[in-house]
């Protein structure tokens, strides 16, 4: 069948040009806001607009419908200018019920637009949302005077539109979100084409459902077009993004395919040993889909078995990987030490979340850096690589894998819930654009005039990788201190000191194999440097760009390599009078910078399970900038 | 793309080929010496190439084992050998992977990996040197030490009910359980052979004497004078006979095993015939170690209690990969990078 | 010097007294609601004082349980509840300690503590809400999920052989195993009562439906239409009868259980009479979940499989302390500080 | 029966006065050197001499007799001056076989005395000791020309002395060590009385064994007295130790009774949850002997269960303790986070050893400090207390327990293999001299006009401790972030930040409850401060004392409290031009000091599994002292 959806408006309304808009879709877990948001996002993307999105799920699996705990939100920031964050405050919020309004009103800009489903504001809903007995309806009682409120009985309109669809009430209600989407498409002058195509693919086999969805979508659009309540529409032109082919990608997706890419480029099988944990589980889910590419995923009995199985796989010649979050990282500590003294490749991915202990599983934080750096007994340095944005998860983990394989060392990769779940457009590379990863298994004795030396190092301090099954190179490795070169157990004092030194040097020498740190935004010499790492990238970048416009003499540099630091970091820091380090923790990078460079860097700390707003960073920069001391 | 050489070594290897150049550092008289010797003795008969063997251990005196084998090997961390070995085997199913550990290593700190290992049934052989003590840490009781034992950490006697390793393994769906002892080389060799032949996880418990911290704890089973009365060597299809002069046997009355004197109206035909495929009977055999009714004192069974053929996880993983490959075909990396939904900006 | 009040509360408590003020946050239709309700309903009958109850859990949907009880409680970390509870009970044996957890919490990451808990037999009740899935993390398979299950982490089906919780517990020397289901309130209450009466570690497995991630996995056992044919409710001293019209039973031929039609020459007298003190038979009952011979499809047993009285570790610890005190008497701190060998410098 | 042992010499020999001597008893594990050393030590102690001892066991349980791996040594440093270490180099070494000589010769002072059992130098023994086939006997071939060698066939002499004892060869051989002891008693002019008493107690029930030992002892003494080979004897007068009653104590003993003392002073039962590991196991062994005092020891299935059981015990109202070493610490990481967010008392003892991974189990190291400080996910600060000497293990762990109980916080106690096994005289306190520890369980609602508030804090930021079983105060605690005061689960952003702050402040405020740091040796203002922590105390103190004598303007301060630091540390550091921090790691305290105070402190690092020698520290001090920069 064929439905003609036409997206050209029948009436003249004021069209506002604007360069970026933040829309928040907010409703009950059951209301399909995630899907709605993604359709809207993909359409914006196709129109060449830059975007950044962030989904927010309820902490409870599925809290009672209509309650505040049950609100599920999807946020999209799109525009004709470059977009670096999902946005701090909303221009438009769609609230399907009163709980959603309660949750999201605080982050709606004054004067912002509220599109409210009146059906979600009856007394029952108000009660569920925790409004006191007999409370007045916020849509009516003036609470929202400072906003532009569009009250629509979305439920009713959808039902009317679909009364002849032959569907049951439940299915009809499920089309609410398409009605909303239609309204927004009209409002932002977006074509429905893409969504129509998607619905056709998705429901091809269920024509009645398909029709219902298309009808709801269309009715929404028409509703916007016909009813007089909407006075303005918005037009956002395409962004000046670098030309190329783009896709939308979330951090955890990027992480997963980054690992696949690294393994393929290295010519190795990929093995993931993991135990589910929020917000890392999606990487396990994602990788387990790639069986056809030979990816082996092993859901272990716990995090210890997960990392141990990955160590075994690396030993056997695979790229061994383990993924987890804080509590799991804690459990992997001992085994990391083993991989370190074995000197086998291993990528340990920590998708950070709010701690300590179980903490805030669904919230974001950057508080595992010092554990990654020092959380092992004995002298046990490991390289650390951190991702800055959703798309950067791909490149950063690819780097982590490259370093691990080329230097025979376990590498810790840090991401966090914010970028893991957030998404952005990605000008993805092609296979041949990826840095080569050189792995060579040793197949002959490296000591012609004697026995094979499994711990004989090359100039970079790297030992050879030998696959069991290789004739003539049989050898034993273990967690006891090793004699230099032979790898035999040694209790010799000087040898121990030597091995501690050699293992540390090997990590230090990785600095020769990573790029220098460059100022990303602003001048190479300035009054204040904002030094960031990880997911604070978007907020810092936006803040710095805005302040540069305002004439501030500042700059932004962002660290991907946290151990070892890029060789030029010390030097670079000295080009600035002041250094500000914003982190979603109590000052962990700050601590490392102070200890290493003895400079009085300033910290900006936020430990709220939420990313920085641009404002928060701007304010702190200004304060520091103008502080005479 | 495995570089594993054919599973048939050109010339037959010898025990010496399996002996590393490392000085063996167990105490004089330690039962581990015998176990090492028997393993090195029978391995050549299995025909596998030296380079395809990987011995993985945890920490403990027993876990020093891999250092003394001239194969590939890992002396890992306490209790984790089964998890590491699983990774090795899944990554490369062609390798011939063996796990070695102590009663503390495998059943105390390593207990969780141990039971999950049993249910997943990778084709790995696992030998537990049970000396009912923590040897390397100088003599604390272990989860197999009998209740009341006085050790460094229990000066007034332990209050822990021990595990029954056979029962625990079977309860965790072990597909192969055998028990042997350090002081019966022939029998040990036979059990190691049976383990090697088993397709799946083969668990061999070896009673091992620790002369320093738990001397002669298995003495009654190993000493000439008492061995015949205190042990019973079980074989598939054979009646359960034991005693100085093969004068005793085990009969089943209903579900209750009873010790009977042969002769006086009881003949071998009346005895329990061992069936190594009967799990329920295996559980009863396992419990011999625990019951001793006032009337009956039960001998300790040695031999293969139970074996069962079921799929190995590493093979299922490979089959799954192959079937999916066959169905969908490998996705080119470029396709993975681009995903399904892309748009172009000009 | 415990401040534990007498184990008899002045006035009989009600379910409400056991209900905390925290909003219950499970999904609509979650089986956990029923379990919570049954526990809150029967606890008052046990007569224990509210303040002497301590509920300890790990992490998972099920592990939210303690928040909803108006007793003392700990929502700890994933898998560790049995270890924490052991510490609580050993430190203060007068407390009435209960452990609650999921199949992932207790058998996956918590497996080691679980089996050691079983062998040590502290007088603690432990309820496992088995939904054969990881609920809180949104639907990955668990160690009890049946092989082949398609979940978020196994899009092509799992390749792991699951644990049989009853078999695993018994293999680890559990002194009490019972199985019940969320949708049979009366039976669950009965099992919780039996658990409470047991002196030792009482393990109750509760089949619990997770409508969101593993809906109706136990449907055949809980749905009217199939329940009678697919389940068998066992009671001590009663024959194993089941079926729509109580028309079927289980007979033992030797060690092999067989399903028989009653009537045609088979009467209840010929059936297997359940004996809750027979461990071997308990192992066979446990295995019903695993066998299904071509001839016979076995019903799933519910009820108390096995119970046995044996010492509890916390009591043995107390007895040991008392006997040593009696023998040696408490050493005064000053004596401990000085030790036996001192010298004086003037 | 009665044996008269008389200890007055029959002949005149030169008597040398000296103020301190280091004697090393070295032989096969079976030779009873530990016992010999202890008898000698106790006698010295009784004579009022100051002492410090250190036993060294073979890494292998019982390596083959006669081999280097099997050598067991006992070192005693005694003197009339204050002794702070077991000594860097030996004045006298007793070697029972050639392996012992091989092991200990390198640490014998030039010109030092060797008492060698010639029976241990036959070709068989030389071979076992790994001397090449047909090697010459080092006692004969001039190797030892720079030493004073006394060759005695101790085995033969013992046999002769005991030929009529009626004992079997095995038992007779076992008396060798008493013969040696007799010789040394003669040499150092020490009475045999004490040893005789001990033997009588020990073998009271076995008169023949007793006699044999006494005879051997006596023959040794006579041998020294009669044979002309010894030309000199040594006299060490009593040390000027503070008057009082002393006992000898090892670090692990001190730790064990320190915990018992703390529990008794606090009026609490003591619960230890532990899993054996070298070098911590002895604490478990020691505490399990105190059943009569109600001490409950639980040998758990692993370190995780060990700490978790201790958390449960603390929750139930005991002083919960767990003891371990590096690999076990790694495993306890996650549970530490739980105890931290629960805010229950808990003492976590880490007896450090050589790392990383299994590392060097029987060797010492200080490399777990940064793990103790940062080895947990999320923002998870914990107090850290470290012991400086064997006797200090008592006081330091007592402090750790006091802080833990009074502040409702898990405390990490750090010791290491060197002081754990080492021993020294201890002027032990009496019960009433111990600092009081005030613990009060809450028994009524702390919020009269509402529900009980389990996380309502006092002015020190400390929450109440409630024992389950307390009527009316039933409540739930968990690892998820808590609402301030109520302790209910809270996902609120600001609340999370507040709780992170409150938990950190609570730890910071402990600084009000610990003493200021004082300069222990030297002036309060000087050119160089040597700042130490943990077991480096003795070596630093000795070095500083010696250099002060040489006129250097330096000082020594030693940190017991590593988190929080004493309030005056920053100030104190600024009284010195330079700060030197010697550590048996790669600079972990150094790192903390630099990060916190931004001063260019210098590090001295040794990672050889062995303590610093006084020389090593003196050299570095001089170098730094004279370095113009
Ligand atoms: C994580 C960790 N915990 C504890 C130890 C100390 N440890 C080493 S071996 C061992 C137990 C040894 O007993 P078992 O496994 O039976 O081996 P055996 O020495 O008896 O052969 C222990 C507790 C360790 N090395 N690592
Ligand atoms: C150390 C650690 N690993 C992993 C997790 C993530 N996690 C929380 S609950 C859970 C499993 C839940 O399954 P189950 O125990 O069966 O409880 P259910 O939710 O099904 O009731 C997991 C993997 C965690 N919180 N901590
Ligand atoms: S301690 Fe016991 S088990 Fe260990 S090596 Fe010595 S004798 Fe063998
Ligand atoms: S996810 Fe499943 S188990 Fe968890 S609360 Fe929801 S329904 Fe219950
Ligand atoms: Mg053992
Ligand atoms: Mg579950």
């Amino acid at each position: 069948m064929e439905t003609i959806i036409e997206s050209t408006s029948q009436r003249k309304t004021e069209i506002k040009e604007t360069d970026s808009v933040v829309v928040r879709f907010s409703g009950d877990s059951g209301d399909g806001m995630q899907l709605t948001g993604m359709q809207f996002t993909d359409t914006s993307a196709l129109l060449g607009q830059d975007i950044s999105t962030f989904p927010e799920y309820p902490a409870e699996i599925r809290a009672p419908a209509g309650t505040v705990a049950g609100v599920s939100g999807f946020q999209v920031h799109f525009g004709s200018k470059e977009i670096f964050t999902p946005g701090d405050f909303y221009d438009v919020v769609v609230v399907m019920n009163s709980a959603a309004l309660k949750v999201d009103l605080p982050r709606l800009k004054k004067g912002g637009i509220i599109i409210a489903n009146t059906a979600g504001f009856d007394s029952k809903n108000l009660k569920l949302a925790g409004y006191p007995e007999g409370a007045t309806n916020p849509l009516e009682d003036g609470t929202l005077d400072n906003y532009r409120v569009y009250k629509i009985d979305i439920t009713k309109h959808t039902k009317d539109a679909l009364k002849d669809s032959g569907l049951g009430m439940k299915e009809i209600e499920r089309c609410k979100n398409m009605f909303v989407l239609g309204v927004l498409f009209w409002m932002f002058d977006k074509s429905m084409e893409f969504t129509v195509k998607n619905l056709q693919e998705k429901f091809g086999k269920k024509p009645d459902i398909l029709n219902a969805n298309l009808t709801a979508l269309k009715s929404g659009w028409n509703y916007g077009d016909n009813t007089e309540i909407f006075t303005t529409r918005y037009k956002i032109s395409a962004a000046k993004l670098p030309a190329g082919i783009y896709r939308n990608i979330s951090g955890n997706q990027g992480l997963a395919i980054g690992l696949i890419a690294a393994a393929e480029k290295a010519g190795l099988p990929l093995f993931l040993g993991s135990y589910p944990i929020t917000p890392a589980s999606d990487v396990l889910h994602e990788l387990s889909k790639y069986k056809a590419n030979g990816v082996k995923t092993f859901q272990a009995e716990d995090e210890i078995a997960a990392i141990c199985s990955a160590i075994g796989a690396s030993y056997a010649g695979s790229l061994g990987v383990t993924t987890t979050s804080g509590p799991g990282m804690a459990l992997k500590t001992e085994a990391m030490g083993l991989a370190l003294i074995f000197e086998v490749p291993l990528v340990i991915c920590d998708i950070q979340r709010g701690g300590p202990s179980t903490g805030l599983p669904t919230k974001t934080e950057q508080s595992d850096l010092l554990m990654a750096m020092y959380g092992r007994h004995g002298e046990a340095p490991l390289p650390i690589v951190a991702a800055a944005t959703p798309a950067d998860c791909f490149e950063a983990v690819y780097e982590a894998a490259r370093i691990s394989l080329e230097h025979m060392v376990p590498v810790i990769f840090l991401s966090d819930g914010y970028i893991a779940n957030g998404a952005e457009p990605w000008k993805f590379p092609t296979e041949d654009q990826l840095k080569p990863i050189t792995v060579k298994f040793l197949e002959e004795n490296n000591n012609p005039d004697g026995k094979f030396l499994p711990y004989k190092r090359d100039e970079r301090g790297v030992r050879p990788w030998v696959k069991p099954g290789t004739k003539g190179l049989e050898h034993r490795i273990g967690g006891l201190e090793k004699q230099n070169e032979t790898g035999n157990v040694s209790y010799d004092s000087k040898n121990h000191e030597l091995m501690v030194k050699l293992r540390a040097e090997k990590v230090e020498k990785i600095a020769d194999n990573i790029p220098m740190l460059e100022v990303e935004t602003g001048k190479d010499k300035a009054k204040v440097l904002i030094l960031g790492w990880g997911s604070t990238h978007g907020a810092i970048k936006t803040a710095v760009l805005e302040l540069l416009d305002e004439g501030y003499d500042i700059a932004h540099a962002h660290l991907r390599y946290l151990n070892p630091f890029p060789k030029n970091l010390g030097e670079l820091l000295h080009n600035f009078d002041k250094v500000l380090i914003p982190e979603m923790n109590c000052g962990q990078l700050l601590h490392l910078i102070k200890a290493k460079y003895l400079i009085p860097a300033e910290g900006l700390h936020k430990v709220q399970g939420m990313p920085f707003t641009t404002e928060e960073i701007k304010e702190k920069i200004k304060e520091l900038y103008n502080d005479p001391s | 793309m495995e570089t594993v050489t054919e599973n048939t070594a050109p010339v037959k290897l010898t025990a010496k080929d399996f002996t590393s150049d490392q000085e063996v550092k167990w105490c004089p008289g330690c039962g581990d010496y015998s176990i090492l010797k028997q393993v090195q003795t029978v391995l050549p008969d299995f025909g596998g190439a030296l380079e395809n063997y990987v011995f993985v251990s945890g920490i403990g005196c027993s876990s020093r084992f891999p250092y003394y084998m001239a194969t590939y090997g890992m002396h890992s961390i306490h209790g984790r050998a089964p998890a590491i070995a699983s990774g090795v085997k899944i990554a490369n199913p062609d390798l011939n992977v063996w796990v070695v550990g102590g009663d503390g290593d495998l059943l105390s700190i390593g207990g969780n990996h141990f039971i999950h290992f049993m249910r997943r049934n990778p084709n790995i052989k696992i030998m537990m040197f049970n000396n009912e003590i923590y040897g390397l840490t100088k003599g604390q009781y272990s989860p197999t030490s009998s209740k009341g034992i006085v050790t460094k950490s229990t000066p007034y006697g332990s209050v822990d009910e021990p595990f029954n390793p056979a029962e625990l393994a079977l309860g965790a769906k072990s597909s192969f359980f055998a028990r042997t002892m350090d002081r019966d080389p022939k029998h040990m060799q036979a059990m190691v052979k049976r383990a090697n032949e088993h397709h799946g996880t083969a668990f061999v418990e070896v009673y091992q004497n620790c002369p320093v911290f738990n001397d002669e704890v298995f003495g009654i089973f190993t000493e000439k004078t008492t061995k015949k009365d205190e042990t019973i060597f079980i074989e598939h299809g054979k009646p359960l006979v034991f005693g100085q002069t093969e004068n005793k046997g085990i009969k089943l009355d209903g579900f209750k095993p009873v010790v009977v004197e042969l002769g006086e109206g009881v003949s071998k035909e009346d005895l329990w015939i061992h069936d190594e495929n009967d799990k329920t009977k295996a559980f009863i055999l396992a419990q011999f170690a625990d019951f001793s009714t006032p009337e009956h004192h039960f001998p300790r069974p040695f031999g293969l209690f139970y074996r069962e053929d079921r799929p190995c996880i590493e093979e299922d993983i490979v089959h799954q990969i192959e079937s999916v490959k066959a169905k969908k075909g490998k996705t080119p990396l470029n396709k993975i990078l681009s995903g399904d939904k892309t748009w172009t900006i000009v």
Side-chain angles (χ1 to χ4, degrees), chain A residues 334, chain B residues 59-62 78 102-105 109 131 133-137:
Chain A
E334 189 203 9
Chain B
I59 299 285
C61 298
S62 37
H78 198 31
D103 43 318
D105 189 66
I109 192 169
N131 52 15
I133 198 81
Y134 290 173
L136 190 68
T137 46

Side-chain angles (χ1 to χ4, degrees), chain B residues 310-325:
Chain B
R310 56 181 186 85
C312 302
I313 185 168
E314 76 278 10
E315 292 174 356
D316 282 355
I317 288 175
V318 169
H319 297 149
Q320 185 171 72
I321 285 179
E322 276 157 3
S323 72
V324 179
K325 260 195 189 134

Side-chain angles (χ1 to χ4, degrees), chain A residues 336 339-340 343-348 382-383 404 408-412:
Chain A
M336 284 186 221
L340 178 150
E343 300 188 50
V344 290
L346 179 69
V347 180
I348 302 149
L382 289 181
S404 180
M408 292 293 283
V409 64
V411 175
I412 296 175

Side-chain angles (χ1 to χ4, degrees), chain A residues 60-62 275 285 288-289 299 301-303 331 358:
Chain A
E60 314 305 327
I61 289 297
R62 196 176 289 172
Y275 186 71
H285 305 158
S288 59
K289 295 176 190 159
Q299 182 178 307
E301 56 271 27
D302 63 18
E303 283 86 354
L331 288 168
T358 311

